[in-house]
Amino acid sequence: MNARFERLAQRVRDELAAAGLPVVAPGLDDELAVGAAVRISSWNQHFGEDPEVLVSWHTSPRLRSRATADLRRYAAPTPAVVLGDQVHRAMSAAVTAILSAAGFTVRASGNDYAPFDVLVVEGPDFRTPPVWSELAEGPDRTEDEPAK
């Protein structure tokens, strides 16, 4: 994988965790995952394009299991399917708002098979520390003064 996209994905994980969202550990089995899953997709490299950083939301395994079973069993949406859909909509909007506020450029993935995924187009300058990081403190600066 390209190191630039790995750094971007890690910065996305850090920002979402700083906002208080649970973040899925890279490599964790999908059956156990709950929260924001940040991954690098290299599928579009087959077409000569760069990899993409995507954020998906994983509801609890129990809700996922129930909604999936209901989709197979019933023609009309059940309460579990409706709840899962609404959670994905809400979390996609929340992830978009959080990352946008942190200086990332994001948009909907445009993937019909994963309509609530968020595509991270680019992030803030890596040389700029995130707003949640500790500020450099010196003897000539008080807590209320901005860093120079």
Side-chain angles (χ1 to χ4, degrees), residues 42-59:
S42 58
W43 182 83
N44 56 350
Q45 285 185 297
H46 299 291
F47 307 105
E49 296 177 22
D50 284 336
E52 296 177 326
V53 175
L54 295 164
V55 183
S56 302
W57 187 260
H58 289 263
T59 60

Side-chain angles (χ1 to χ4, degrees), residues 86-115:
Q86 290 303 311
V87 167
H88 282 101
R89 286 179 193 281
M91 295 314 298
S92 178
V95 165
T96 297
I98 291 165
L99 293 177
S100 294
F104 291 81
T105 302
V106 299
R107 63 177 173 81
S109 71
N111 181 346
D112 291 340
Y113 295 104

Side-chain angles (χ1 to χ4, degrees), residues 28-79:
L28 182 68
D29 189 293
D30 279 345
E31 293 296 317
L32 303 172
V34 175
V38 181
R39 68 187 188 288
I40 299 169
S41 172
S42 58
W43 182 83
N44 56 350
Q45 285 185 297
H46 299 291
F47 307 105
E49 296 177 22
D50 284 336
E52 296 177 326
V53 175
L54 295 164
V55 183
S56 302
W57 187 260
H58 289 263
T59 60
S60 72
R62 183 68 189 119
L63 179 56
R64 281 195 311 259
S65 174
R66 176 63 189 266
T68 301
D70 285 0
L71 282 170
R72 289 183 185 135
R73 206 175 306 146
Y74 304 107
T78 65

